[in-house]
Amino acid sequence: MKILVPVKRVIDYNVKPRVKADGSGVDLANVKMSMNPFDEIAVEEAIRLKEAGKAEEIIAVSIGPAKAQETLRTALAMGADRAILVETDDAVEPLAVAKILKAIAAEEEPGLVMLGKQAIDDDSNQTGQMLAALMGRPQGTFANTVEVDGDSVTVKREVDGGLQTVKLTLPAIVTTDLRLNEPRYASLPNIMKAKKKPLETKSPADYGVDTALRLTTTNVSEPPVRQAGEKVEDVDALVAKIKALGIA
């Protein structure tokens, strides 16, 4: 079985984003970039499935600028076998990403497409669900546990009420949540080996996908500064304060 793992290049989660002076977006100049953390979890889970003998090949895919090759090389260093970069300097919305992934999946015929539940830059949480709908495949989102058994995969999902377990017939789409695993660090020998692993470069046009934006960002601004808290002497004072504020 092949596993297709889409990964996205985003601002490193340790970096505080800066808004452009004109409010048109987030300033990416001279900012450290890295693999989306949820996608990193997806790569790790794919590697574990391969190590367990459940998969034979892992293909990492990224859609973005030429510098996204660095993100793909990270996935290759972790343990992916080969990579595909769909190169574009334009912003790509989740629907276009899903359409490109559908076209790649049609060529590669993976048994499992495993991707992060969302990207930490736009928090859309849409690509996996859109891909499943476009491909007509079963989906297991917000995966806490993934177990492949023959021609099916059992996914334990994190939902508002706790955990939900679903059994999907392969091929299927799975999106990974935070508690699925802890990604490994790539060793220096594997980083060197990753430089020799195949990385194919394509364009959205190669897959016949129009990446024209359907959404327009009108303004981006910093969140309001959080007001300082206030200490109270006891519960009665707290209740009185809440009532005074009209909260309860």
Side-chain angles (χ1 to χ4, degrees), residues 2-236:
K2 291 181 183 179
I3 301 180
L4 188 69
V5 187
V7 296
K8 187 177 183 181
R9 179 177 182 264
V10 299
I11 295 178
D12 189 90
Y13 70 93
N14 289 310
V15 175
K16 184 180 184 301
R18 302 188 308 269
V19 176
K20 293 180 180 179
D22 60 1
S24 61
V26 176
D27 188 0
L28 300 180
N30 302 315
V31 174
K32 181 183 178 183
M33 308 291 282
S34 63
M35 186 189 302
N36 177 49
F38 291 104
D39 296 341
E40 196 172 11
I41 291 169
V43 174
E44 173 64 27
E45 193 63 20
I47 294 168
R48 293 187 185 191
L49 288 172
K50 183 181 177 184
E51 290 173 343
K54 305 294 185 179
E56 298 175 352
E57 185 180 30
I58 300 168
I59 308 161
V61 179
S62 191
I63 302 167
K67 289 184 178 180
Q69 287 190 32
E70 301 168 6
T71 305
L72 288 171
R73 292 295 179 193
T74 299
L76 293 171
M78 289 175 66
D81 297 292
R82 57 189 175 92
I84 300 171
L85 172 61
V86 182
E87 188 175 338
T88 175
D89 291 324
D90 299 327
V92 185
E93 294 173 349
L95 180 58
V97 172
K99 288 180 177 179
I100 293 171
L101 293 178
K102 177 190 176 185
I104 294 174
E107 289 184 356
E108 298 292 345
E109 299 183 343
L112 196 60
V113 180
M114 188 175 294
L115 61 162
K117 69 171 185 176
Q118 64 195 76
I120 62 172
D121 54 358
D122 58 16
D123 276 338
S124 290
N125 182 17
Q126 297 174 343
T127 303
Q129 294 89 329
M130 288 178 170
L131 178 61
L134 290 171
M135 295 182 67
R137 302 299 187 194
Q139 59 179 306
T141 54
F142 318 128
N144 175 286
T145 305
V146 177
E147 296 177 355
V148 175
D149 183 15
D151 61 354
S152 66
V153 56
T154 301
V155 179
K156 189 176 290 183
R157 304 178 59 236
E158 296 196 6
V159 295
D160 291 342
L163 296 174
Q164 178 192 50
T165 302
V166 295
K167 187 174 183 179
L168 315 172
T169 300
L170 295 174
I173 314 298
V174 172
T175 71
T176 58
D177 214 325
L178 192 63
R179 282 159 289 277
L180 178 58
N181 60 51
E182 185 173 340
R184 69 193 65 190
Y185 289 102
S187 64
L188 182 58
N190 286 341
I191 292 173
M192 301 305 293
K193 290 178 184 177
K195 295 180 179 180
K196 297 182 180 180
K197 289 184 178 180
L199 194 161
E200 187 178 4
T201 301
K202 296 275 193 174
S203 70
D206 292 331
Y207 297 105
V209 176
D210 178 13
T211 58
L213 298 179
R214 290 171 169 79
L215 301 175
T216 302
T217 300
T218 57
N219 184 60
V220 177
S221 60
E222 293 276 1
V225 178
R226 190 172 181 175
Q227 299 297 317
E230 181 181 343
K231 289 185 177 181
V232 294
E233 294 181 359
D234 51 34
V235 175
D236 291 338

